[in-house]
Amino acid sequence: MAADRTRILSGIQPTADSFHLGNYLGAVRQWVPLQDGHDTFYCVVDLHAITMGHEPDVLRARTRTAAAQLLAAGLDPARCSLFVQSHVPQHAELAWVLSCITGFGEASRMTQFKDKAAKQANPSVGLFTYPILQAADILLYQASAVPVGEDQRQHLELTRDLAQRFNARFGETFVVPEPYIVKETAKIVDLADPVAKMSKSADSQAGVVDILEDPASIRKKIKRAVTDTGTEIRFDPENKPGVSNLLTIAATLSGRSVAELEAAYDGKGYGALKTEVAEIVVEATAPLRERTQEWLDNPDRLDKVLAAGSARAREVAGRTLADVYDAVGFLLPRP
Ligand code: TRP
């Protein structure tokens, strides 16, 4: 892996039994082609996954399932470093240093914190500092681009601010990263409530399609997708969010353009569109399901991939953290 290739880092939380179409199309799918020509680090962020309360055994299982799905989706251990965040202690260590240059008011403005905290009886300090840990994930690897969904834009902005602030205060240490957000799929919406983004924390899972979901259930959810009272199949996210969402999903998974699909379904009605989209989703997710299961049936092989990825991650992260500790004036311990 040549050192001169641009660094890419992204992360996903192991907080569900499966990724859903929003995670997959909005972020994970972009990770695969970036493996060519870039030095890619992809991280299952288990430290982030304990910010809202969790079950230990469930977390452990979901961490493996998340990694298995990423491999099934096309991450190639020979071309990327796939690792688990808690295997690399530097994430928590850098997060502490960054938290000391983050303003309390600045952190208080994070809208994702406000949204998540509003749904909790007693939100944790960890949930509050979550974006700072995310900044550490990115800055440790000197990543210049971060492929994420639209909802992560504010966290990326904070990361850039912290990198610039640290560099100005303690000397050039961090690369200032750019978000990498693919417009077309940046926001997949809930099938049952097409004004809300598809989210695992939605009140009902009726509009959330998991990539590991069985075909019958996928078909049922797509057939019940909320559209509008019209009949016209037209891409118009403003006035026809439901129909537009179906077109986006179908276009991305089939590799056809939205215009082509509009033309193909012209005059056929929503029922036909839904049947067709359901088949496209079933066909696209079947191999993901199969390959994920293959990795899960072989946990030894999976854990070895993660061990190799985290060894490489610790090497890079260790170098950055040493620079940071030196820059902020920590006394080096005697060897
Ligand atoms: N907050 C991100 C999300 O919920 C996950 C994440 C954690 C992440 N650390 C990251 C994404 C670093 C990109 C880079 O989607």
Side-chain angles (χ1 to χ4, degrees), residues 9-13 23 27 31 43 45 48 85 91 112 116 130-131 133-138 146-149 151-152 155-156 197 200:
L9 175 128
S10 198
I12 191 155
Q13 289 197 65
N23 305 132
W31 297 10
C43 181
V45 292
H48 282 105
Q85 190 185 28
H91 289 249
Q112 198 161 72
K116 288 183 179 176
Y130 174 121
L133 178 60
Q134 181 168 351
D137 299 342
I138 297 164
V146 185
V148 283
D151 63 328
Q152 295 301 307
H155 290 169
L156 258 292
K197 117 183 145 113
K200 61 183 170 271

